[in-house]
Amino acid sequence: ITGQKNTTGADTSENITIGGVTKTLALAKDVSRVTGDVKFRADNFLYLSGIIGVEKKTATLKLTDNSTVGVSAVQIGGTGLTGFFGLNAAPGTGSQTGLNLSNISFGYTLATPANSNSGTDLRTWSGLKAAVGTASLEGISAVTAAVSSLGVSLNRAGGTLNSSPATTAADFKASSLTNTAGGQSSTLDFSEALARAIGLFEFNVSGFTAFRGRFGIETGSMDVTLPNFPGVNLPTNFLKFWGIDVDASIGINGPSWSNPNFTGFDVSGFDFNLMLNMRNPLTALLPDLGAIKWFSMKATLPEMGFLPFKQLQIPDFGLNAPSLSVNLAFDVPTGLPSVPYIDFSASLPSVTLPALPEMPNFPGLPDLPAVPSIPGFGFNLPALELLQISNLPSINLFDFISFSGSLTVKRTEYTAKLADGSEVPTWALVMNSVNGGLFAGVNGPAASGNATGLSVSGVNGAVALLIPKDSTDKRRWMAATGTGSNVSLLGLPDVTISADSITAQLNRPLGTNSDSSANTSIVNFTGNNLNVLMDNGSTVSITHPGSSGALLKVAADATIGIADFFRLDGNFGIESSTRSLKLSDDSTVDVNVLSIA
């Protein structure tokens, strides 16, 4: 540790000889400084280590209530440091959840009143600005994160005034304070209480969902509701991430922007709020929960496509954007009868996404402009495990079958047994709809206004895309099943249809074999059903045999009437194809053909 102190009121430079050794004493006016290799902790949410400098100065602060106070300020700063930002930041204080930091530059100021008025004014004001070169997420095994740049800001009030807690923060925007300790230079210039970091992040959650863009981070505490323990409001510490207008990929072998083998949903321009909650270890409530952690997220998805297969298409959403919901629990103690998920619909039904400043983007992408805050952002997650997309309006398969309604997307494991008897471990990307709609025909979906084909309402159905866990295997398989009623024919005014039930079945190969030839193998679901848990608690099973069969079958007492003249009763199938049709003037035209038999 080295120290400097000068109370002479002027710059000092003189030689002093003691015992035959001469030293030069050169000090700036009023300097009061210590520099050393130290450990630093702020509110147990920020921990730093390395070469840090400490200085002392006097200043006048303006507070957010427009009052002023003369203070004595201790300022700490450093460059080239390492540390941690998040829950239990200091080593040994508990299970760490947050960001491991390196290549840090920071300036921290702690101010107290110059006059304590005989001990009645014991207020404190703390402010921090820090820049981080790189960071990685720790504490959640299923979640990884990388940071290319990060800025951290803190403005907090503490202590007491006349024995009452002091909460009025400093308005550094009205009375800025510069910190040059430890070889860095930073200026406190914010006007509200905050504990926030903003930077470029890339997240990956359970190998299923990835995000990248400009994120904000805050830390704090909140009480949560656990339906497993009625009447208890459990105190938790939280680390909050939010983003506005960022990118995401939801599927297998992601993310979409860096892995050409990605299969799933590619999303751009979405907004999200993400919470990492951990039971406060200082509370005496529910000690059996130990250091349980919850990972919860809600996002809106305004633009979405499906990669890499054009056989599955997603229409424009319009004003009713789908949402991504995640509610997971980690480090759950053994012996609990069930997992105690947080009921965010009761604990935190809405949040405000704070504004984000302009900043550089990832290499090769345009800079990011400033964006305003989003108040009332929905966060009404129920108390159960969620990893799904909901309110997806419709999907179109092979330009023939479309499912519509509030679709939910999930991921599950499934061992596909092929018609030749071989088995392939896969991830099943499953979409299901409860009481939705189904359309089979051309120019769908049914609401397009130009559709010709069979429309069914009241549909309970599921679509599954199977992707081998072996990323070198380029084969894919798609299957669908659904049942419904309330049948009608669109685009054919002279044709009517009625039926007691409709069954949609699809079983098609996609992708390529190892020799780049088209995959023609078929999954045999018979005896190895793919069971899909529906949103209403029921289960739908895909049970197709190892052949493609008809795409749609009309079953049980179906009736087709043509021009009120001709009627057919029985079982019907319907398929589509593309053909070249020759007209009576010898011209030809390519047409979509809807075949009913």
Side-chain angles (χ1 to χ4, degrees), residues 328-525:
L328 305 173
F330 298 93
D331 296 338
V332 180
T334 58
L336 294 179
S338 60
V339 178
Y341 292 102
I342 295 176
D343 183 0
F344 280 101
S345 62
S347 305
L348 192 67
S350 65
V351 299
T352 293
L353 302 187
L356 292 171
E358 61 179 334
M359 63 183 297
N361 206 340
F362 292 101
L365 298 176
D367 289 349
L368 296 164
V371 294
S373 62
I374 301 178
F377 189 83
F379 207 73
N380 53 341
L381 297 173
L384 51 88
E385 180 176 340
L386 289 175
L387 189 61
Q388 65 184 41
I389 300 172
S390 57
N391 201 36
L392 189 63
S394 66
I395 56 172
N396 189 298
L397 308 179
F398 298 94
D399 285 327
F400 175 64
I401 294 179
S402 64
F403 286 93
S404 60
S406 182
L407 304 179
T408 297
V409 181
K410 303 176 183 178
R411 184 191 71 176
T412 187
E413 293 181 282
Y414 177 74
T415 300
K417 186 174 182 180
L418 305 185
D420 62 7
S422 61
E423 295 185 350
V424 182
T426 72
W427 289 111
L429 200 61
V430 179
M431 293 154 273
N432 74 81
S433 173
V434 174
N435 198 30
L438 181 148
F439 176 79
V442 295
N443 300 324
S448 68
N450 193 33
T452 300
L454 193 69
S455 177
V456 187
S457 61
V459 173
N460 292 335
V463 179
L465 181 64
L466 306 182
I467 301 129
K469 290 185 176 180
D470 180 0
S471 61
T472 64
D473 191 341
K474 309 302 181 185
R475 293 175 298 173
R476 305 289 188 267
W477 299 271
M478 182 178 291
T481 189
T483 61
S485 57
N486 300 319
V487 183
S488 62
L489 278 170
L490 303 179
L492 300 170
D494 291 332
V495 181
T496 60
I497 188 170
S498 62
D500 287 347
S501 65
I502 294 289
T503 300
Q505 295 182 351
L506 173 68
N507 193 6
R508 287 291 180 89
L510 298 170
T512 59
N513 298 310
S514 58
D515 61 359
S516 298
S517 61
N519 174 33
T520 58
S521 60
I522 297 293
V523 177
N524 183 3
F525 293 92

Side-chain angles (χ1 to χ4, degrees), residues 68-331:
T68 59
V69 58
V71 298
S72 176
V74 175
Q75 296 190 316
I76 308 172
T79 59
L81 307 168
T82 59
F84 195 88
F85 175 84
L87 307 177
N88 297 321
T93 58
S95 178
Q96 289 184 318
T97 303
L99 296 172
N100 252 328
L101 312 173
S102 61
N103 192 20
I104 305 165
S105 173
F106 87 101
Y108 176 79
T109 297
L110 177 62
T112 57
N115 183 359
S116 69
N117 290 322
S118 301
T120 61
D121 190 352
L122 301 178
R123 291 175 293 175
T124 63
W125 298 272
S126 55
L128 169 74
K129 273 198 170 181
V132 180
T134 59
S136 59
L137 186 66
E138 299 291 334
I140 301 292
S141 59
V143 183
T144 60
V147 184
S148 60
S149 64
L150 181 69
V152 183
S153 300
L154 169 71
N155 186 16
R156 282 195 170 164
T160 60
L161 179 62
N162 297 322
S163 300
S164 298
T167 58
T168 304
D171 183 357
F172 290 109
K173 197 169 187 178
S175 54
S176 62
L177 197 57
T178 299
N179 185 335
T180 58
Q184 56 80 49
S185 180
S186 58
T187 300
L188 301 177
D189 56 4
F190 22 74
S191 58
E192 73 279 358
L194 54 83
R196 181 179 301 167
I198 295 174
L200 289 177
F201 279 73
E202 184 169 335
F203 271 101
N204 192 299
V205 183
S206 297
F208 177 65
T209 304
F211 318 93
R212 71 168 180 176
R214 172 182 43 185
F215 291 4
I217 312 172
E218 292 184 359
T219 184
S221 60
M222 61 178 286
D223 293 346
V224 299
T225 298
L226 306 175
N228 296 43
F229 302 93
V232 177
N233 292 320
L234 180 68
T236 68
N237 298 322
F238 72 80
L239 192 64
K240 169 185 172 181
F241 296 78
W242 82 92
I244 301 175
D245 196 23
V246 300
D247 298 328
S249 66
I250 305 166
I252 312 300
N253 298 326
S256 59
W257 48 83
S258 62
N259 192 339
N261 293 324
F262 172 74
T263 300
F265 296 94
D266 186 54
V267 186
S268 60
F270 83 101
D271 308 325
F272 78 93
N273 187 78
L274 180 156
M275 302 285 291
L276 287 171
N277 288 76
M278 185 174 72
R279 175 183 171 273
N280 189 331
L282 300 180
T283 180
L285 292 173
L286 307 182
D288 291 343
L289 294 184
I292 190 172
K293 302 168 188 173
W294 295 271
F295 181 96
S296 309
M297 179 180 180
K298 196 67 176 285
T300 58
L301 310 174
E303 299 179 23
M304 179 184 296
F306 194 89
L307 300 177
F309 300 111
K310 63 181 181 180
Q311 292 93 336
L312 191 153
Q313 303 164 6
I314 302 172
D316 293 336
F317 298 141
L319 299 178
N320 192 17
S323 64
L324 171 67
S325 301
V326 178
N327 197 6
L328 305 173
F330 298 93
D331 296 338

Side-chain angles (χ1 to χ4, degrees), residues 521-580:
S521 60
I522 297 293
V523 177
N524 183 3
F525 293 92
T526 303
N528 185 30
N529 300 348
L530 176 55
N531 298 317
V532 180
L533 179 64
M534 307 291 282
D535 291 349
N536 62 359
S538 64
T539 299
V540 167
S541 298
I542 297 178
T543 61
H544 310 332
S547 60
S548 59
L551 293 186
L552 189 75
K553 295 180 180 179
V554 180
D557 300 326
T559 298
I560 293 180
I562 302 175
D564 289 330
F565 174 72
F566 188 68
R567 192 184 77 177
L568 296 172
D569 299 308
N571 295 319
F572 294 87
I574 183 169
E575 297 185 13
S576 72
S577 61
T578 300
R579 300 181 186 179
S580 181

